[in-house]
Amino acid sequence: AATTSALRLVGRRAAVSAATGAAVALPKQVLAKCTDIESCREVGDAKVAAQEAANPVINLGNGVRYKRVKEGAGATVSGNDVVDVAYSISTAGGSYMYSRGFGFEKDSDGVVDAGDFLRVRLGNQDVPKGIELALRGMKEGEKRRVELPPGPVTGFETSEWKPAPTTRRGKAQIVAYKNLIN
């Protein structure tokens, strides 16, 4: 016996049900928890406060701070451990500079760098001091968003400008950044 399907569009979502009796439930209509702009602002502020309480920004001193983006599991990074790191570097304004391991960059042969990690030995100045501080205490699979101020205490100067970009665009970005802070 042939089955036929019906497709109903609900906004941008589609629900499909087959003539065989299987059905997909449509999303329930959600009523607003506020009635005017002020009550909506209060609901939004309460939601932001609850999220911040559940996952606060951790201040490590000297302007270095981080927020956990994804929980990890397993052993904790400490001492002079060797870790593999995927990273993306942006300016304070959010402009992308360069990265490694996320698939945003291609090498000279056009190969995408997804899964290509940077191997770091803590205490070896492979990464800026501020990043090293943020790596300590992480667990495997954990992701953190780290804010690192420029300067000789925690910035790129502490690692002799490592990790170095591998692409022409990344190299140009870091030269422009060096010129900006000098």
Side-chain angles (χ1 to χ4, degrees), residues 77 80-87 99-101 113 115-128 131-132 135 140 159 162-164 166:
V77 175
N80 289 341
D81 287 349
V82 175
V83 295
D84 290 331
V85 179
Y87 63 86
S99 67
R100 183 165 177 182
D113 73 344
D116 179 25
F117 299 100
L118 173 67
R119 182 149 290 165
V120 173
R121 176 178 294 283
L122 298 183
N124 229 24
Q125 295 182 323
D126 294 333
V127 292
I131 299 297
E132 194 169 296
L135 287 173
E140 186 175 345
S159 65
K162 292 185 282 184
T166 57

Side-chain angles (χ1 to χ4, degrees), residues 36 43 46 56 60 66 72 74 81 87 109 112 119 121 123 126-127 133 146 153 159 165 169 175 177:
D36 59 23
V43 169
L60 299 175
Y66 74 86
D81 287 349
Y87 63 86
D109 296 326
V112 175
R119 182 149 290 165
R121 176 178 294 283
D126 294 333
V127 292
L133 291 170
V146 180
V153 177
S159 65
R169 179 175 187 254
V175 166
Y177 177 70

Side-chain angles (χ1 to χ4, degrees), residues 32-179:
K33 296 179 183 178
C34 53
T35 56
D36 59 23
I37 191 73
E38 289 304 317
S39 62
C40 287
R41 183 172 290 136
E42 289 172 9
V43 169
D45 289 346
K47 184 177 177 182
V48 168
Q51 289 172 343
E52 186 61 33
N55 186 15
V57 172
I58 307 299
N59 189 341
L60 299 175
N62 293 320
V64 179
R65 58 190 198 156
Y66 74 86
K67 185 170 184 105
R68 184 176 295 112
V69 176
K70 179 184 170 194
E71 288 284 336
T76 302
V77 175
S78 64
N80 289 341
D81 287 349
V82 175
V83 295
D84 290 331
V85 179
Y87 63 86
S88 177
I89 299 173
S90 302
T91 65
S95 297
Y96 173 80
M97 288 177 67
Y98 61 97
S99 67
R100 183 165 177 182
F102 287 109
F104 301 142
E105 300 283 345
K106 293 181 182 178
D107 66 14
S108 59
D109 296 326
V111 177
V112 175
D113 73 344
D116 179 25
F117 299 100
L118 173 67
R119 182 149 290 165
V120 173
R121 176 178 294 283
L122 298 183
N124 229 24
Q125 295 182 323
D126 294 333
V127 292
K129 183 72 175 164
I131 299 297
E132 194 169 296
L133 291 170
L135 287 173
R136 294 183 187 282
M138 286 183 76
K139 296 182 179 205
E140 186 175 345
E142 184 174 335
K143 290 184 181 180
R144 292 181 178 177
R145 176 163 288 123
V146 180
E147 289 183 14
L148 180 67
V153 177
T154 57
F156 276 93
E157 296 92 328
T158 63
S159 65
E160 298 177 4
W161 296 92
K162 292 185 282 184
T166 57
T167 64
R168 186 173 60 211
R169 179 175 187 254
K171 290 173 184 175
Q173 290 281 354
I174 203 71
V175 166
Y177 177 70
K178 284 179 183 180
N179 291 337

